[in-house]
Amino acid sequence: MKKPASINTIDDYIAICPEPIRKRLIELRTAVKKGAPKAEEKISYQMPAFFQNGILVYFAAQKNHIGFYPTSSGIEAFKDELSEYSTSKGVVRFPYEKPLPLKLISEIVRFRVMENLEKEELKRKRKG
């Protein structure tokens, strides 16, 4: 799905998607926010992104699925729960014909929040 250059917010991104996909992106966004209520929303690499002590996750509407990008560590930590979905190094593909696993998405995001917090703590300990 080709995105115009004028996308500056996640609302902009969602607004240009077809209605059925838009609804699913809103559900996914809500699940991400539930897992990371303090996360900052951005557009990065022309995709919706959430940051908290670094990148948490990205997502993107594709032709046949929603790509969810929780980093390779997020996928590895939940590989059993994600086994019914197509995955590769940093992406989970949620097909449009299946319901989104909203609870699982929130859990993965919480994991990423904790992972980023631990990395931040390590950095501080090394500096201090």
Side-chain angles (χ1 to χ4, degrees):
M1 192 177 306
K2 188 170 169 39
K3 307 289 183 244
S6 63
I7 297 174
N8 298 311
T9 68
I10 293 179
D11 288 329
D12 292 344
Y13 184 95
I14 291 171
I16 65 164
C17 293
E19 180 56 40
I21 295 171
R22 196 177 314 146
K23 181 180 182 293
R24 294 174 65 81
L25 294 176
I26 291 168
E27 290 175 343
L28 191 144
R29 180 190 199 180
T30 301
V32 171
K33 289 167 100 173
K34 185 175 181 181
K38 295 179 182 177
E40 179 185 356
E41 293 187 347
K42 294 182 181 183
I43 294 293
S44 182
Y45 301 106
Q46 298 185 352
M47 294 186 291
F50 291 81
F51 287 76
Q52 189 171 332
N53 295 320
I55 183 65
L56 294 174
V57 298
Y58 298 91
F59 65 83
Q62 305 296 340
K63 184 177 179 181
N64 298 311
H65 65 274
I66 294 174
F68 180 63
Y69 305 85
T71 74
S72 55
S73 62
I75 293 170
E76 180 62 28
F78 291 87
K79 65 182 175 191
D80 292 341
E81 294 91 333
L82 292 168
S83 63
E84 70 182 89
Y85 302 99
S86 169
T87 62
S88 58
K89 185 177 179 188
V91 64
V92 181
R93 293 170 197 87
F94 297 126
Y96 290 130
E97 67 273 4
K98 284 187 175 183
L100 287 168
L102 300 173
K103 184 178 176 195
L104 177 58
I105 290 167
S106 294
E107 288 175 19
I108 293 169
V109 172
R110 278 191 289 276
F111 168 82
R112 293 287 300 126
V113 168
M114 294 306 299
E115 189 174 48
N116 281 2
L117 192 59
E118 289 171 9
K119 286 179 185 176
E120 193 66 26
E121 288 293 320
L122 269 172
K123 284 181 190 175
R124 274 188 239 152
K125 285 180 182 177
R126 288 181 188 149
K127 288 181 181 178

